[in-house]
Amino acid sequence: MSKTETTERDMAAAGAQLSTAPKEELIQAGGPTLGVIGWIRWFWRQLTSMRVALILLFLLSLGAIPGSLIPQNSADELKVRSFKEAHETLAPIYDKLQLFDVYSSVWFSAIYILLFISLIGCIIPRTWQFVGQLRGRPPAAPKRLTRLPAYTTWRTGSAPEDVREAALALLRKRRFRAHPAGDAVAAEKGYLREVGNLVFHIALIVMLVAFAMGQLFKSEGGKLIVEGDGFSNTLTQYDDFRSGSLFSTDELAPFSFTLNQFTGTYETSGPQRGTPRTFEADVTYSRPDGGKKRSVIRVNEPLEIDGSKVYLLSHGYAPVVTVKDGKGKVVYHGAVPLLPIDNNVTSTGVIKVMDGYRDKTGKKQQLGFPAFFVPTYAGKGKGQMFSQFPGLAFPALNLSAYHGDLRVDGGLPQNVYQLDTSKMKPFKGAGGDIFKKTLLPGETMTLPEGAGSITFEKEIKEWASFQISQQPGNGLALAGAIAAIAGLVGSLFIQRRRVWVRAVRGDDGVTVVEMAGLGRSESAKLPEELADLAVTLHSVAPTAPEAEEADQAVEADQAVEADEVPAEGAQK
């Protein structure tokens, strides 16, 4: 056996226990073929290897990309429907690939479950092996310490027993796990590296569990509330509601709140004109115990009540209108929320009068008024009717009118912000066109032929849209993320290393001290740490006088030889 092979064997034996990775069994070529049990074991070893776990984690990240780019049924079914209408060729393909339901798809669930099993399979054997290493002792010193990457030696007049005792005390003081091993002291340090590695993988499992909990037990709903109105956390109060497959409506936290006032201010000049400066909702909320409290909800500052979080999403305007019939009877009065269509809160919607209206013949009818509202009107003859600013500087309301059947009693769901004109007729003006008019606050539009009127009142309320959600896995996911970062830092920056100190009496009666170190990977810190330990131990067991003189003589001879070499070169 060559010297190189011997060196490699010694170093491998010295560092064999520095890793908690399970040992791989090699199958020699030409050996017996694998049976069913053998293939199952092979598949399990591959699945629980770190390489496969990283591949699955990468695939899980890739699989989440379409869930972010493509509309999801779980988030917004209307967007999915609009996407399908706009992409008639891609939509069937996406449906077959389950790209509209990525996080509940078969392929995403398969990756998720395989990653979960892989991480558990990685952690369990590593944990038991690491526990075994903690219960054991650092291995004895190799026969030839000179072959280790960090090495130093000197001769001292102190007794070998005293040197080993001083080395043991020094290493324990530096937080090494140390013990006497024959004629040497064996020590080891850096176990937090393996702890960090295990914590990182356990944290990944915790995050996967938190993600599963969030998908299975979550609830999320939206509600649009006009100033002065309230909300009670029951299923019938939501405008839209989504939940996990294991969520029960009995788990909805019992609370309610009222929107007292919405406050929105905007930059009035400069390049950021129209940018929101204040965006907050003042609410009063109550709990089952009957107590009421007041709070302010801002963007990214939700109100938390009994495990539910109330987020402020958006806002708009709700003009107050009054509708009268031909006899002057009020058939509708209230604030009508309209939906913004641009950043300056140009808004559209429909005012629907479903009950109480009769035409001039006494026949029951329903009225519909398509509305177009601008908080800051540019004025007649100054371009299209779009808002110039999001604040209420010069509000105007443009209305047209229809009469007939709104089709709200047919049992089919209907968008409250759109008007179904299939069974309605428009009121006509003098020229035969659809009757319409732009109103300022306080003005009235009188319908043709004495059909009534609609008044744009001077009061304009604001509305706010809220999202009420319960995410039971959020806290667990945050804890897992923090633990994963801490474990990763520990596994990257802490080095596990071993140090041996051998002290034996030489043939001339002088004690020979040898110190060597070995780490899992090459590092400049290991020689520095060994040098620091050697300097400290040297102060306790200094170099023997005779040995020091011999060392000085050797250094002098080396210096003379070094001086002679350039002199000879100069003569040449």
Side-chain angles (χ1 to χ4, degrees):
M1 182 179 296
S2 65
K3 183 177 180 180
T4 302
E5 293 175 344
T6 304
T7 303
E8 293 177 351
R9 186 190 64 182
D10 292 343
M11 293 183 66
Q17 298 177 354
L18 280 175
S19 174
T20 58
K23 299 179 181 179
E24 295 185 0
E25 298 179 5
L26 298 178
I27 301 176
Q28 296 181 354
T33 58
L34 292 175
V36 176
I37 302 299
W39 278 109
I40 293 175
R41 289 178 177 174
W42 179 86
F43 177 78
W44 175 253
R45 291 194 189 100
Q46 298 302 313
L47 180 60
T48 57
S49 66
M50 189 56 59
R51 178 179 63 256
V52 173
L54 292 174
I55 292 174
L56 290 172
L57 187 61
F58 178 69
L59 290 176
L60 193 70
S61 303
L62 287 180
I65 293 176
S68 303
L69 301 178
I70 301 173
Q72 300 294 297
N73 284 315
S74 59
D76 195 332
E77 294 183 359
L78 292 177
K79 284 188 177 180
V80 173
R81 191 179 307 165
S82 300
F83 185 91
K84 290 181 177 180
E85 293 174 356
H87 303 83
E88 297 181 356
T89 304
L90 283 177
I93 300 175
Y94 283 3
D95 261 332
K96 290 182 179 180
L97 296 176
Q98 298 179 304
L99 294 183
F100 295 116
D101 300 280
V102 168
Y103 303 111
S104 59
S105 63
V106 175
W107 55 270
F108 190 86
S109 301
I111 297 174
Y112 185 88
I113 294 172
L114 286 175
L115 177 60
F116 193 83
I117 296 173
S118 178
L119 288 174
I120 293 177
C122 288
I123 289 173
I124 292 177
R126 282 176 176 265
T127 302
W128 286 116
Q129 191 167 351
F130 182 60
V131 169
Q133 291 181 10
L134 289 177
R135 296 177 62 183
R137 289 185 170 188
K143 292 182 180 180
R144 300 181 182 181
L145 293 178
T146 55
R147 293 177 175 175
L148 297 183
Y151 174 79
T152 186
T153 183
W154 72 91
R155 290 153 57 85
T156 180
S158 302
E161 297 80 6
D162 296 337
V163 174
R164 291 194 290 268
E165 184 177 350
L168 182 63
L170 171 63
L171 291 169
R172 287 178 175 174
K173 184 178 180 181
R174 298 290 180 89
R175 298 191 299 275
F176 280 83
R177 291 180 61 222
H179 71 100
D183 58 0
V185 175
E188 190 169 1
K189 190 178 183 181
Y191 284 93
L192 286 179
R193 178 187 179 94
E194 300 301 330
V195 172
N197 194 13
L198 292 174
V199 167
F200 174 74
H201 290 88
I202 293 174
L204 289 181
I205 292 180
V206 171
M207 293 172 67
L208 290 175
V209 171
F211 178 78
M213 288 178 58
Q215 292 298 312
L216 295 174
F217 297 98
K218 73 173 183 179
S219 70
E220 185 177 276
K223 180 65 177 178
L224 186 149
I225 304 175
V226 179
E227 289 176 331
D229 293 343
F231 167 80
S232 179
N233 194 27
T234 57
L235 188 60
T236 56
Q237 289 279 301
Y238 283 94
D239 294 333
D240 59 86
F241 185 81
R242 299 174 298 275
S243 64
S245 57
L246 298 182
F247 179 82
S248 172
T249 55
D250 296 334
E251 299 174 12
L252 288 172
F255 68 88
S256 62
F257 67 91
T258 301
L259 175 61
N260 302 319
Q261 182 181 9
F262 178 86
T263 303
T265 60
Y266 309 89
E267 189 69 36
T268 57
S269 61
Q272 293 187 339
R273 184 176 185 273
T275 303
R277 290 294 176 235
T278 305
F279 202 82
E280 59 187 31
D282 179 71
V283 300
T284 300
Y285 66 96
S286 60
R287 298 187 178 187
D289 56 10
K292 291 187 177 182
K293 291 185 179 180
R294 199 158 182 169
S295 181
V296 175
I297 306 175
R298 299 181 180 89
V299 177
N300 298 327
E301 295 182 19
L303 171 65
E304 187 168 359
I305 311 174
D306 294 339
S308 296
K309 290 186 177 181
V310 182
Y311 294 89
L312 175 62
L313 297 183
S314 59
H315 101 292
Y317 295 102
V320 178
V321 297
T322 301
V323 180
K324 297 180 180 180
D325 61 14
K327 296 181 180 181
K329 177 185 175 183
V330 176
V331 294
Y332 180 87
H333 176 80
V336 182
L338 305 177
L339 298 182
I341 60 173
D342 61 19
N343 292 333
N344 286 328
V345 202
T346 301
S347 307
T348 63
V350 179
I351 302 168
K352 297 181 180 181
V353 179
M354 293 179 284
D355 299 308
Y357 177 79
R358 294 177 182 269
D359 61 13
K360 60 183 179 179
T361 63
K363 182 181 178 182
K364 288 185 178 181
Q365 279 193 331
Q366 294 175 328
L367 300 177
F369 300 90
F372 196 90
F373 175 80
V374 290
T376 302
Y377 183 35
K380 292 183 179 180
K382 295 184 179 180
Q384 295 179 340
M385 188 176 174
F386 282 90
S387 180
Q388 306 300 305
F389 186 73
L392 287 172
F394 186 18
L397 179 66
N398 181 272
L399 297 171
S400 56
Y402 289 78
H403 62 96
D405 182 9
L406 292 171
R407 304 193 68 183
V408 295
D409 301 324
L412 297 176
Q414 191 179 98
N415 192 330
V416 296
Y417 302 102
Q418 294 179 354
L419 181 65
D420 184 355
T421 60
S422 61
K423 289 191 176 183
M424 302 197 76
K425 295 179 180 180
F427 286 98
K428 297 294 183 69
D433 297 329
I434 297 177
F435 186 75
K436 62 176 59 177
K437 187 177 182 180
T438 299
L439 305 177
L440 299 180
E443 294 184 346
T444 299
M445 181 177 78
T446 302
L447 299 177
E449 300 178 359
S453 64
I454 178 169
T455 302
F456 177 22
E457 304 291 349
K458 293 183 178 181
E459 181 183 11
I460 301 174
K461 294 186 177 182
E462 298 191 46
W463 58 261
S465 177
F466 298 92
Q467 176 181 292
I468 301 93
S469 63
Q470 288 183 231
Q471 296 284 351
N474 282 353
L476 193 61
L478 177 61
I482 295 174
I485 294 174
L488 185 62
V489 169
S491 64
L492 291 177
F493 295 100
I494 297 176
Q495 183 186 16
R496 191 174 174 191
R497 63 272 193 201
R498 287 181 177 144
V499 172
W500 292 276
V501 181
R502 177 175 285 150
V504 294
R505 196 176 299 278
D507 296 336
D508 56 357
V510 180
T511 301
V512 179
V513 181
E514 290 182 291
M515 294 184 68
L518 176 66
R520 286 193 59 180
S521 58
E522 294 184 6
S523 173
K525 293 184 178 180
L526 180 61
E528 292 176 2
E529 185 176 28
L530 185 69
D532 181 59
L533 291 170
V535 169
T536 306
L537 185 60
H538 185 271
S539 63
V540 179
T543 303
E546 300 83 356
E548 186 173 2
E549 293 176 1
D551 293 341
Q552 290 176 355
V554 172
E555 292 176 358
D557 292 341
Q558 292 176 348
V560 170
E561 293 177 359
D563 291 339
E564 291 176 352
V565 170
E568 293 177 359
Q571 292 175 359
K572 291 180 181 180

